[in-house]
Amino acid sequence: HYLTGDISDRMSEWLPNICIAFGWRLEYLAVRPEYVQWVANVPPSTSPGYLMRIIRTQTSEKISSVIMGAPSP
């Protein structure tokens, strides 16, 4: 699967909002058809696994909503 069109555009909105919601600072974001690359500044107490789990869960839910035609929060 490739990130193109509406999902690509929305991913550029979603990731900053997710980071803000968790008190993280998004330093860099690149959304490409083949991948998403980002750099986030998080507290030392935040494990890499937790960060990835949150990003994966939140973005997966939002992508599913777009694919199914439901409005995304």
Side-chain angles (χ1 to χ4, degrees):
H1 299 285
Y2 289 98
L3 294 170
T4 58
D6 194 34
I7 291 177
S8 175
D9 295 338
R10 290 188 183 192
M11 186 69 75
S12 295
E13 298 170 10
W14 294 333
L15 235 49
N17 291 337
I18 293 167
C19 287
I20 289 168
F22 284 86
W24 305 332
R25 188 172 12 152
L26 187 64
E27 303 284 345
Y28 172 79
L29 174 62
V31 179
R32 304 285 184 253
E34 299 86 11
Y35 62 88
V36 176
Q37 183 177 24
W38 75 95
V39 175
N41 188 335
V42 301
S45 60
T46 302
S47 72
Y50 178 73
L51 170 71
M52 291 304 300
R53 187 170 43 258
I54 294 298
I55 297 294
R56 185 176 57 241
T57 301
Q58 295 279 321
T59 56
S60 293
E61 288 173 0
K62 292 175 184 310
I63 289 169
S64 293
S65 293
V66 169
I67 291 171
M68 299 305 230
S72 65

